[in-house]
Amino acid sequence: IDGRFDIVSVMAVLQHIANDEHWRQALSNVSALMAHDGVGVIIDPVLAHSLWIDEKPEGAMSWTRNRAEWDDALGDAGLVIVDLVPTTFTLAMGGDAAKRRTSNAWRRYWRGVHQAVGQRESLGQLAGGLAYGADQLLVRSGLNGVSSKTFVVQHR
C-alpha cells in the first residue's frame, strides 16, 4: 500500500501473529502507514497480569503479549500508546488474571460455554446475547477486562 494515512486500524489481528519477529514487523508496517501526526487504533488483548502459561505452545496460532512487550515493540516501531481501555471483558477467551486460580476458572468457564453451545446456532445466539449484556456492564465498571483492549498509538 502506498501512502500514509491519518488513521490506521488493526482489529483482532495482531494476536494471531504468534511469531515475535513477524509481530514486530507488523507493528513497523503500521507505523510506516501512519501519517506523522496520524493515529493507529488497535484492538487486541494486552496483558496487565498473566496468562499463567509458562511458555508459548509450539505451533501456536495466536499469542497474547503483556504491556511491557507491547511498549517495547511499539517503541522500536517509533510508536507509543496514548490511550488504552477495555473493549471486551468476557467475550473472548483471554484469561488475563492476577491469580492462577482465576485464570483456570476462566478457562473452565469458556470450555463449559463451548461444550454447552456446541454447533447449536440458536443457543449460541442466546448465550452470546446474555454474555454481551454482562460484558457491557463489566466494561463500564472500569475494571481491567480479561480479554481485548482498544488502544490508540501515535508516533513518538
Side-chain angles (χ1 to χ4, degrees), residues 82-106:
V82 295
D83 197 12
L84 178 113
V85 295
T87 304
T88 61
F89 202 99
T90 62
L91 294 178
M93 188 172 154
D96 182 14
K99 296 181 180 173
R100 186 181 294 267
R101 69 176 174 260
T102 304
S103 181
N104 290 339
W106 191 247

Side-chain angles (χ1 to χ4, degrees), residues 23-151:
W23 174 71
R24 286 176 163 279
Q25 182 60 54
L27 293 173
S28 292
N29 294 346
V30 168
S31 180
L33 289 170
M34 288 172 50
H36 180 69
D37 59 347
V39 297
V41 179
I42 300 173
I43 298 178
D44 235 62
V46 178
L47 295 176
H49 303 292
S50 175
L51 278 176
W52 297 101
I53 297 172
D54 295 326
E55 62 184 53
K56 189 183 306 180
E58 183 69 32
M61 298 301 289
S62 67
W63 188 246
T64 303
R65 292 157 176 98
N66 64 39
R67 176 66 190 262
E69 291 171 294
W70 276 98
D71 287 338
D72 183 57
L74 288 166
D76 287 348
L79 300 171
V80 63
I81 295 174
V82 295
D83 197 12
L84 178 113
V85 295
T87 304
T88 61
F89 202 99
T90 62
L91 294 178
M93 188 172 154
D96 182 14
K99 296 181 180 173
R100 186 181 294 267
R101 69 176 174 260
T102 304
S103 181
N104 290 339
W106 191 247
R107 282 192 190 85
R108 284 192 300 276
Y109 162 77
W110 269 98
R111 277 194 300 270
V113 168
H114 180 70
Q115 288 172 347
V117 170
Q119 299 294 318
R120 297 180 292 265
E121 185 175 339
S122 60
L123 189 54
Q125 288 176 340
L126 176 62
L130 293 172
Y132 177 77
D135 192 80
Q136 291 304 293
L137 290 173
L138 288 165
V139 167
R140 287 189 201 112
S141 75
L143 296 172
N144 179 45
V146 297
S147 60
S148 292
K149 315 287 190 296
T150 298
F151 48 109

